[in-house]
Amino acid sequence: MAPMRRDSIRLLAVGALLLLGACATTPAAGPSWSIALHGGAGVISRSDMNPEAEASYRASLSAALEAGAGVLRGGGSALDAVETSVRLMEDDPNFNAGRGAVFTADGKNDLDASIMDGRMRSAGAVAGMRTTRHPISAARAVMEKSSHVMLAGAGADAFAAEQGLEQVAPAYFFTEHRWRQLEQELRRRNAAIPMRPEGAAPRPVQGATDLHDHQFGTVGVVARDRAGNVAAGTSTGGTTAKRWNRIGDSPIIGAGTYAQNGVCAVSSTGTGEFFIRLSAAREVCALIEHRRMSVQAAADKVVHEELPAIGGDGGVIAMDGAGRLAFSLNTSGMFRARVADGETPVVHIYADEE
Ligand code: ASP
């Protein structure tokens, strides 16, 4: 064979090998944008949920999903999509975040939130806010406008007010069904029931009908935009009748929220103390990054193996660096929804809906 010919064959062979190598290491492309959200996990059974309540939750989830998807479809950032969807759910009394948050044992709403931008792994978080209408926007302001990651209590509200974020009277967050949950929990504990917050609507004479009587409803969103950037955010009122300024996982970066470009975005919901102990959101990302697990396998390992092993329950929404989405829950339900470019939106409540 002529030397020229032999060289070109060798070149071709090397090229083919390089191509094969590249295919083996580059993950298959995901959708050009994608978004998933949750509205809390817990004991949610069909028998507890009447058709009206179920329809109301599905409508709330669809509206929040569409709001974030609209941002991404129009070329907006993952961070904007996350903030947009979370703000909508913070305004929606169906969820335990912003308006509709659960009450502390002394009849207050202490609000926690966090957000993370996967580009530089920058993050912001707030805990125990009482007057800021949108805690997720306060978390974003901490990330973008301060040199800190986490602010708490009255200082966090003061910072948010300084940043021009809307401040509201505490009664703004009040909902009758959350107040009843508080009363019920305090009675169970044989503890004193606090005064209704100033400005709250008077107790209805009748109306034991509570369409939305469940204790859950933390909200979270993960998104990937057309530029390939990921973000995650979580917002909550925490747990009913919490005391001593208890803070759960939702505002803890690595537990409730995590995002890292090329790897993952995660938001958690469930018994926060266990998610903190596991660094649950970061753990899902670590399994993807270091063990090369698929996003579904990583989420399932944390939610179905690691959490139950220490007594925790709840779920996560997760995506990998390419925007492929996963839900995982070890409870009977998790309010959840997802959509990706070119796909039909999915809205689920019960564990067996897939
Ligand atoms: N994880 C939240 C907390 O512990 C509650 C929840 O997700 O239901 O504050």
Side-chain angles (χ1 to χ4, degrees):
M1 199 185 290
M4 266 290 281
R5 183 102 197 273
R6 237 191 344 253
D7 282 355
S8 2
I9 290 173
R10 202 175 293 139
L11 261 174
L12 268 176
V14 170
L17 276 175
L18 279 175
L19 200 70
L20 270 176
C23 291
T25 50
T26 311
S32 66
W33 57 263
S34 53
I35 182 167
L37 56 84
H38 69 77
V43 185
I44 309 170
S45 63
R46 285 184 174 83
S47 54
D48 292 344
M49 187 85 84
N50 67 38
E52 234 176 287
E54 191 175 314
S56 165
Y57 277 111
R58 289 190 193 271
S60 291
L61 293 166
S62 298
L65 186 73
E66 182 43 39
V71 171
L72 298 170
R73 203 177 289 124
S77 71
L79 206 55
D80 284 343
V82 166
E83 186 185 7
T84 300
S85 294
V86 173
R87 280 172 68 100
L88 216 66
M89 290 191 281
E90 286 177 338
D91 284 344
D92 187 332
N94 267 342
F95 301 110
N96 172 19
R99 184 155 170 262
V102 299
F103 287 94
T104 65
D106 53 2
K108 307 278 193 291
N109 300 109
D110 277 3
L111 310 171
D112 306 333
S114 62
I115 197 162
M116 190 156 181
D117 178 346
R119 284 175 298 183
M120 286 293 290
R121 286 194 261 178
S122 37
V126 288
M129 296 194 108
R130 289 193 172 164
T131 60
T132 301
R133 177 172 171 185
H134 295 114
I136 195 70
S137 299
R140 184 169 179 177
V142 172
M143 173 173 79
E144 292 178 339
K145 310 275 173 53
S146 85
S147 55
H148 308 298
V149 168
M150 190 171 201
L151 300 179
D157 281 314
F159 169 79
E162 254 175 53
Q163 296 301 319
L165 296 180
E166 185 177 349
Q167 301 295 296
V168 292
Y172 166 82
F173 300 110
F174 181 92
T175 53
E176 191 62 37
H177 72 283
R178 294 298 185 194
W179 191 258
R180 295 215 178 157
Q181 281 172 5
L182 173 67
E183 289 179 333
Q184 202 178 346
E185 176 58 21
L186 292 176
R187 254 183 239 119
R188 198 186 62 79
R189 291 183 195 172
N190 267 328
I193 294 174
M195 299 264 294
R196 287 166 81 85
E198 209 186 302
R203 189 186 180 82
V205 185
Q206 251 230 324
T209 7
D210 190 348
L211 299 180
H212 312 107
D213 190 23
H214 75 93
Q215 305 256 349
F216 312 98
T218 291
V219 306
V221 182
V222 296
R224 183 176 184 272
D225 58 32
R226 290 184 189 277
N229 298 316
V230 299
T234 310
S235 183
T236 190
T239 49
T240 300
K242 62 188 180 181
R243 299 170 71 190
W244 307 300
N245 300 106
R246 177 262 185 195
I247 295 169
D249 60 317
S250 308
I252 309 285
I253 297 300
T257 300
Y258 204 77
Q260 180 180 356
N261 267 16
V263 179
C264 70
V266 181
S267 171
S268 315
T269 176
T271 44
E273 283 69 8
F274 298 91
F275 284 78
I276 294 174
R277 287 161 57 191
L278 279 187
S279 302
R282 171 71 192 139
E283 174 74 353
V284 173
C285 297
L287 292 171
I288 294 172
E289 187 178 13
H290 304 303
R291 300 259 302 260
R292 304 265 165 222
M293 290 174 85
S294 74
V295 61
Q296 187 69 58
D300 285 344
K301 181 164 167 48
V302 171
V303 170
H304 292 292
E305 291 175 31
E306 300 185 22
L307 264 177
I310 59 168
D313 56 16
V316 299
I317 52 168
M319 65 168 45
D320 65 14
R324 285 172 292 233
L325 298 165
F327 296 135
S328 190
L329 55 150
N330 64 25
T331 50
S332 55
M334 178 166 82
F335 297 106
R336 59 201 190 277
R338 58 195 267 180
V339 68
D341 189 19
E343 288 178 16
T344 312
V346 163
V347 177
H348 287 156
I349 297 177
Y350 309 107
D352 58 13
E353 285 180 275
E354 271 322 323

